[in-house]
Amino acid sequence: MDNCLDFNAPHSMGTTIVGVTYNGGVVLGADSRTSTGVYVANRASDKITQLTDNVYVCRSGSAADSQIVSDYVRYFLHQHTIQLGQPATVKVTANLVRLLSYNNKNFLETGLIVGGWDKYEGGQIYGVPLGGTIVQQPFAIGGSGSSYLYGFFDQAWKEGMTKDEAEELVRKAVSLAIARDGASGGVVRTVIINSEGVTRNFYPGDQLPLWHEELEPHFSLLDILSSPTPSPMDI
Amino acid sequence: MATVAESERTLYPYVTGSSVVALKYKDGILMAADMGGSYGSTLRYKSIERLKPVGKHTLLGASGEISDFQEILRYLDELILYDNMWDDGNSLGPKEVHSYLTRVMYNRRNKFNPLWNSLVLGGVKNGQKYLGMVNMIGINFEDNHVATGLGNHLARPILRDEWNENLTFEEGVKLLEKCMRVLLYRDRSAVNKIQISKITEEDCTVFPPFSLKTYWDFSAFKNPTAGAPGSW
């Protein structure tokens, strides 16, 4: 009863976000659900936001806070790129995100994963959780759905994966989290960043594997009822 | 002395079921609910049956705290047992079960120890179709279509628009599936494993669980930020 439709509740992206490095770049992944209390305000949101050509950020927590932080970072980075005369590095981008998160820690409620590729250090992932800590990691997970992925990554993560292995790991992980976290859902979006550029992918529910206690989807119960069950003496 | 009583009040629910949606159709009542039991925001249990037949003439669907629903089923079991023991050829119909449950729910509410559920009761007796609802504070009513929880906001407008008195079984099922699909998209605690059940004068069937196909194939979904980087 308490958790009813409260349209004035802040838009929060319950969320599952993931970032993984592989030999040649990074793969970022996220779900697509934005909720206002129990209501799903947007079932197809895009939580992987571009900061510059070669660096993207996965957003979680308050939708408003994460959007404003990425907007500011994009603005500062644009000026920095002009001054520098070449693409910004992932490290500089991540540090900018950190500065905003840290210096406004009393006002912001957003956890971010910065991922990208530059010519100096190759693919890198930086986690910037609540409070503004910055930590470089071979892979990072965030958002409410990430609670369900710690065990999964402890077991499934390997150094030196190929691009396809990394993308499959990300897709599987987000899909597993969506199965158990009410605040995550919708489609799985992935972004692959390497020396060749950026590739966006989109995986709706029917293209993801089925997990425990999940059933094959149908158009209607009537289709199931009308398909004949084989009787014992049928050949 | 008061502290002992304090610990026996339900303060908040733990394992909860989400919406139940039901409607009257030509031959009786159709009811639908998903099989999820959420533990806060975790979708912990995915095979909880929230639609149960009661006696010969009634179908009960519950949302809210699952342990309280299980307790209610125990109370109803006893009620039906005593009714059968009279062996007088009469049996409790949906109206009577609804009345009993309303009293139980309201009296618990008055003691500040509610059964944290919203219940949907449907059935047919002597050709008369009945569909009603009672919730944890004792509010109860009957109508041609009812829903609990978010279903009130998302499913009932669809039912108001598309329900009519002469729905066939197939039309009723399709209408319920439309409502359940919207709930799947827009309710955080919905789980894609649904049970539909029907009750008519002759019998009561709870169909086996199934999943619904969902639609994501809109071009706007594929690249929502194409025109406005940083938006959602």
Side-chain angles (χ1 to χ4, degrees), chain B residues 122-152:
Chain B
V124 193
K125 193 174 169 203
N126 297 332
Q128 267 213 320
K129 296 183 282 228
Y130 182 88
L131 180 59
M133 207 192 95
V134 57
N135 70 5
M136 64 189 260
I137 54 178
I139 293 186
N140 71 97
F141 54 86
E142 26 164 330
D143 207 341
N144 293 321
H145 44 78
V146 297
T148 66
L150 239 69
N152 270 310

Side-chain angles (χ1 to χ4, degrees), chain B residues 82-98:
Chain B
Y82 278 109
D83 185 45
N84 286 342
M85 273 165 38
W86 284 109
D87 199 19
D88 58 3
N90 191 23
S91 52
L92 290 173
K95 265 198 234 276
E96 290 82 50
V97 178
H98 191 194

